[in-house]
Amino acid sequence: MAIKWINYDQLDASSKLASDAKVDLTKVMTGASGEERVKKYSAKMAADLTFNYAAKNVDDTILADLQKLADEAGLVDKFEVLYNGEFVNVGENRMVLHHLTRGQLGNDVVFNGVNEREFYTGVQKRVAEFAGKVHSGEIANEKGEKFTTVVQIGIGGSDLGPRAMYLALENWARVNGFLKMNAQFISNVDPDDAAAVLANVDVSRSLFILVSKSGTTLETLTNESFVKDALKKAGLDPSKHMIAVTSQTSPLAGSSDYLDSFFMDDFVGGRYSSCSAVGGAVLSLAFGPEIFDRFLEGAAAEDKLSKSRNVLDNPALLDALIGVYERNVLGYGSTAVLPYSQALSRFPAHLQQMDMESNGKSVNRFGEEVSYPTGPVIFGEPGTNGQHSFYQLLHQGTDIIPLQFIGFKESQQGVDVEIQGSTSQHKLSANVAAQIMAFACGKDDENKNKKFAGNRPSSIIIGEKLTPEALGALLAHFENKVMFQGFVWNLNSFDQEGVQLGKVLAKKVLAHETDGALKAYADIFGI
Amino acid sequence: MAIKWINYDQLDASSKLASDAKVDLTKVMTGASGEERVKKYSAKMAADLTFNYAAKNVDDTILADLQKLADEAGLVDKFEVLYNGEFVNVGENRMVLHHLTRGQLGNDVVFNGVNEREFYTGVQKRVAEFAGKVHSGEIANEKGEKFTTVVQIGIGGSDLGPRAMYLALENWARVNGFLKMNAQFISNVDPDDAAAVLANVDVSRSLFILVSKSGTTLETLTNESFVKDALKKAGLDPSKHMIAVTSQTSPLAGSSDYLDSFFMDDFVGGRYSSCSAVGGAVLSLAFGPEIFDRFLEGAAAEDKLSKSRNVLDNPALLDALIGVYERNVLGYGSTAVLPYSQALSRFPAHLQQMDMESNGKSVNRFGEEVSYPTGPVIFGEPGTNGQHSFYQLLHQGTDIIPLQFIGFKESQQGVDVEIQGSTSQHKLSANVAAQIMAFACGKDDENKNKKFAGNRPSSIIIGEKLTPEALGALLAHFENKVMFQGFVWNLNSFDQEGVQLGKVLAKKVLAHETDGALKAYADIFGI
């Protein structure tokens, strides 16, 4: 097919959307209309999840125009060429193949004679075998004792995604007998980060995973050095306590400094690498490869739904389009991600990177400045905690912030207590349901200080329970949502040139090659 | 003095500020001008901290007009009546006395015959005595074993502030021999939160602090019940493992269900309660009362600076005014808080509550709708982690996000490693210095994908080391900043009516008293 990469404001559907009558949630979400919307504006996701968008500012007309936008921009066609191996990351001249880490959506993708799907599954198999040997004690410390802790050393995409996924399943795994090793993470170049983690683990029983695609990430190499020092001070041989996850061409690959190396390649971006060896090594060691497989299955199943050309059957696409409508038609500048699940405490931080690093850009994929807003600010904390924190602004502040709720019918650990006639889990669910309606419909009051204007849009993803499959589906949903939004805005969502300048200047400071204000700041810090 | 509570847009200085020539950071922050600004635009804070605002969009003209704004709005006068006990929280008809928890700024404040400063110090003294007995083993578990862990049960202000302060000092305390007890926190009504914390502590050696001013916070009572169940299942007597921090009039006060009760009152709001018994109990138990005293001293010293009528000598006031300029003149909708210190990992989450719950409001203190933007969205993560995450959008996104950096010359733990010719701590400092300049000056490039537009404003608070005093000063700085902004916008920053509607609707769901859309959502969750 012929793909047209075209700016959002050049699409007919964008003008159509701008002129559509706005939906007032305080009207449509009340009475029978509201009940009908909750039942109707709902799309099935994988792993028993449901995307409900009843409380978004859409109606059948706007949804039809979002479908037109999807068709006119060829969003699903673009997804198709992406997973079939077109070099859609134009800035870096790379394919974008993270979907292949968890399934085969289209044609075989072969690069330099290597079938990429086989490459990724091959690595997963090697990771699984290695994890099995660690769990059985075949690979052990120098005294022959089993490793009990796994510590990931990485930053950005090598940290946020794997950490969020680990935390999401840690307690589920514990109560279900799947927690094989405790996992810790070292990311920040702040020496207090590594020192704090090392103070809390038994290094003699710890296996460290060094994760850096290029093998040159300064923070990660610094922390590796920090950890090696600690191992040596404890009389241990660092090479018997470390593995590497890196690219085949990196200086780390196959080095005798590591027990083993597991490879990723340039076609999986850091922030999309949770399903590659970057997430696979730590999650397979922590929970066992079977659990990691279940996570991948959930993601793969969700990916398949993203192929649908009918926006109503394609939750990631629909979520993306509604987000574009909120950003470009309604003019909202940020989005809050609010999981009513403590296990998802760091999921918003991962989405923050995934979304803001992908679509926080001012030029289109051809390097031309765009004249419309692109990626929003993403932030969030788990509910009900957030209710007792920043929800005040969400309800009564002067700006409207679209909301993305996530909730589950069952808790992960199944331990609960009944007080005032209801369980904690029911209280949690009741709160998220209540919040959706409070935001949508508001409440008038003679005392304007107690008035809620309402018409504050939210969607919710509802699941049975946060299992590995559900987590994989959630992850894929948001990855694909961000991808579709990048397509609408005509961005390259897969590079990150915006991180470079700071790196260059930091090196200058450390080399004392500065003048003017930068030297003045360096002087204050005594560098 | 006669205080005039007046809307921002009715102040002459607000029009003057709007017409002032804008400052272009790409121009003023280069060359000699930049160097001069870094040296000149700097204000001393308490505890060896410095507030540097060279990279903000201000110049001498704008600063003079910010001074006029401060004078015209009587901001310091308003602070004065606040700490002298005027009932400035008009919505709830309450005084606002959190400053008295750490010092005496003005006149004695007496209410119902009680000197409020003496009330707070009296509670602190009782907390200190109690902590001493726990540390000595005089108060111990039923077997006579010392308590080793303290677990705070609270939500919102009873959680975020104390948790952020604990994490900020935990590792500093460990290396300096002050870590007397490990602290944990249970907040979310999600039963998985309490279950996870309890799975990681020895309940027989744990002392629980129940924190709820009203004694009726549903999440907290639910979690108390959860914890009591766990204690009973372990064959322990809950009343021998719990203390309460609450108001004298709450149902919890003096109950025999607790080893002891420590009081707060209605004049310290939840999000301003870190220096009251809400933070004092857990911090005194974890680190010892002497460390908590040092934290209070830092806060008190910073408070004193907030009394200055010269904005250039009053960092909290100046920070507040620059923030107002960014929000109301430059039109920026959010602010990122970026501490280059892993110990401050949850400090942004605390500021998020403090700021957004205080000033996320659309009506002024008289309940009249305001026609200007008020409190921004606040979000943030520690650097350098954020650099590898959302900084892409901060550098190259379509919206400008003002930034608030925090950095220290020394690490907390003093363990470091040199790699590529510099320590980790130097790398950390070099990065934050570099980021300020990258954001301010940007960089042109023929390839527009590699272009940085610059003119993205930031300030930085620089300290020697994150000590208890520095932490106290930081906290007070932001509390007073938010207070001054509330005064400028003519808001009541001390109530939170926006949290009520959700609570009311959640109760209806649990009581099955719903219809329409809310019933439909409740049905999906099976409530």
Side-chain angles (χ1 to χ4, degrees), chain A residues 284-324:
Chain A
S284 298
L285 283 161
F287 307 134
E290 302 74 20
I291 302 303
F292 184 63
D293 279 348
R294 289 174 55 185
F295 167 71
L296 296 182
E297 279 164 24
E302 192 63 33
D303 283 342
K304 278 187 197 155
L305 299 179
S306 296
K307 296 170 75 173
S308 169
R309 285 167 197 282
N310 180 347
V311 300
L312 301 182
D313 294 336
N314 186 334
L317 178 56
L318 185 55
D319 199 357
L321 291 164
I322 294 172
V324 168

Side-chain angles (χ1 to χ4, degrees), chain B residues 6-12 14-15 369-372 488-489:
Chain B
I6 187 167
N7 279 9
Y8 170 74
D9 56 358
Q10 285 160 22
L11 298 166
D12 291 340
S14 71
S15 335
E369 279 187 31
V370 299
S371 53
Y372 42 83
V488 177
W489 289 319

Side-chain angles (χ1 to χ4, degrees), chain B residues 302-422:
Chain B
E302 192 63 34
D303 283 341
K304 279 187 195 154
L305 299 178
S306 296
K307 295 169 75 172
S308 170
R309 285 166 198 282
N310 180 346
V311 299
L312 301 181
D313 293 336
N314 186 334
L317 178 57
L318 186 55
D319 199 357
L321 291 164
I322 295 172
V324 168
Y325 180 76
E326 290 171 336
R327 183 80 171 120
N328 299 92
V329 179
L330 301 178
Y332 303 149
S334 53
T335 293
V337 181
L338 307 166
Y340 275 62
S341 163
Q342 189 61 29
L344 292 176
S345 61
R346 293 299 287 170
F347 196 68
H350 175 51
L351 293 194
Q352 190 173 55
Q353 175 188 20
M354 191 203 292
D355 200 324
M356 294 172 72
E357 198 171 40
S358 295
N359 291 336
K361 292 167 187 170
S362 303
V363 298
N364 69 12
R365 55 189 292 110
F366 306 112
E368 300 155 351
E369 279 187 31
V370 299
S371 53
Y372 42 83
T374 61
V377 166
I378 302 289
F379 70 101
E381 291 285 336
T384 60
N385 291 4
Q387 291 179 202
H388 293 259
S389 169
F390 53 86
Y391 277 37
Q392 163 68 40
L393 182 144
L394 303 183
H395 279 290
Q396 295 189 315
T398 50
D399 290 353
I400 290 181
I401 320 287
L403 312 173
Q404 190 122 33
F405 290 110
I406 301 169
F408 299 92
K409 297 179 199 176
E410 290 175 46
S411 71
Q412 275 192 321
Q413 298 174 71
V415 189
D416 208 333
V417 66
E418 190 164 317
I419 181 171
Q420 297 184 11
S422 59

Side-chain angles (χ1 to χ4, degrees), chain A residues 190 192 342 362 392 396 412 498, chain B residues 190 192 342 362 396 412 498:
Chain A
D190 181 348
D192 288 335
Q342 190 61 27
S362 302
Q392 164 68 40
Q396 294 189 316
Q412 275 193 321
Chain B
D190 181 348
D192 287 336
Q342 189 61 29
S362 303
Q396 295 189 315
Q412 275 192 321

Side-chain angles (χ1 to χ4, degrees), chain A residues 8-9 323-334 359-363 369-377 485-486 488-491, chain B residues 393 396-400:
Chain A
Y8 170 73
D9 56 358
V324 168
Y325 179 77
E326 289 171 336
R327 184 80 170 120
N328 300 92
V329 179
L330 301 179
Y332 303 149
S334 53
N359 292 337
K361 290 167 189 171
S362 302
V363 298
E369 279 186 30
V370 298
S371 53
Y372 42 83
T374 60
V377 166
Q485 291 192 328
V488 176
W489 289 319
N490 206 23
L491 308 173
Chain B
L393 182 144
Q396 295 189 315
T398 50
D399 290 353
I400 290 181

Side-chain angles (χ1 to χ4, degrees), chain A residues 29 34 38 52 54 155-156 160 171 174 187-193 195-196 200 218-219 222 225-226 229 327 341-342 346 352-353 356-357 360-363 367 369 372-377 379 381 383-385 387-390 392-393 395-399 401 409 411-413 415 417 419-420 424-438 448-452 462 495-499 501-502 505-506 509-510 517-518 520-521 524-525 527, chain B residues 29 34 38 52 54 155-156 160 171 174 187-193 195-196 200 218-219 222 225-226 229 327 341-342 346 352-353 356-357 360-363 367 369 372-377 379 381 383-385 387-390 392-393 395-399 401 409 411-413 415 417 419-420 424-438 448-452 462 495-499 501-502 505-506 509-510 517-518 520-521 524-525 527:
Chain A
M29 282 300 283
V38 177
N52 191 293
I155 194 165
L160 290 166
N171 294 305
R174 180 182 290 119
S187 54
N188 203 326
V189 76
D190 181 348
D192 288 335
D193 188 16
N200 280 308
L218 192 54
E219 282 92 338
T222 303
S225 183
F226 198 106
D229 269 15
R327 184 80 170 120
S341 162
Q342 190 61 27
R346 292 300 286 170
Q352 191 173 53
Q353 175 187 21
M356 293 173 72
E357 199 170 40
K361 290 167 189 171
S362 302
V363 298
E369 279 186 30
Y372 42 83
T374 60
V377 166
F379 70 100
E381 292 286 335
T384 59
N385 290 4
Q387 291 178 203
H388 293 260
S389 169
F390 53 86
Q392 164 68 40
L393 183 144
H395 279 291
Q396 294 189 316
T398 50
D399 291 352
I401 319 287
K409 297 180 201 175
S411 70
Q412 275 193 321
Q413 298 174 71
V415 189
V417 65
I419 180 172
Q420 297 183 9
S424 293
Q425 185 60 34
H426 272 185
K427 287 189 187 74
L428 186 66
S429 306
N431 269 283
V432 69
Q435 290 295 333
I436 295 171
M437 291 305 291
K448 295 298 173 212
N449 197 28
K450 296 175 192 280
K451 177 188 159 182
F452 293 75
I462 300 173
D495 65 359
Q496 54 282 323
E497 290 295 338
V499 308
L501 180 56
L505 295 181
V509 174
L510 290 170
L518 188 50
Y521 281 120
I524 295 177
F525 277 108
I527 307 171
Chain B
M29 282 299 284
V38 177
N52 191 294
I155 195 164
L160 291 165
N171 293 305
R174 180 182 289 118
S187 54
N188 202 326
V189 75
D190 181 348
D192 287 336
D193 187 15
N200 279 308
L218 192 55
E219 281 93 338
T222 304
S225 181
F226 199 105
D229 268 15
R327 183 80 171 120
S341 163
Q342 189 61 29
R346 293 299 287 170
Q352 190 173 55
Q353 175 188 20
M356 294 172 72
E357 198 171 40
K361 292 167 187 170
S362 303
V363 298
E369 279 187 31
Y372 42 83
T374 61
V377 166
F379 70 101
E381 291 285 336
T384 60
N385 291 4
Q387 291 179 202
H388 293 259
S389 169
F390 53 86
Q392 163 68 40
L393 182 144
H395 279 290
Q396 295 189 315
T398 50
D399 290 353
I401 320 287
K409 297 179 199 176
S411 71
Q412 275 192 321
Q413 298 174 71
V415 189
V417 66
I419 181 171
Q420 297 184 11
S424 293
Q425 185 60 34
H426 273 183
K427 287 188 187 75
L428 186 66
S429 306
N431 269 281
V432 69
Q435 289 295 334
I436 294 171
M437 292 305 291
K448 294 298 174 214
N449 196 29
K450 296 175 192 280
K451 178 188 159 182
F452 293 75
I462 300 174
D495 66 357
Q496 52 283 322
E497 290 295 338
V499 308
L501 179 56
L505 294 181
V509 174
L510 290 170
L518 188 50
Y521 281 119
I524 294 176
F525 277 110
I527 308 171

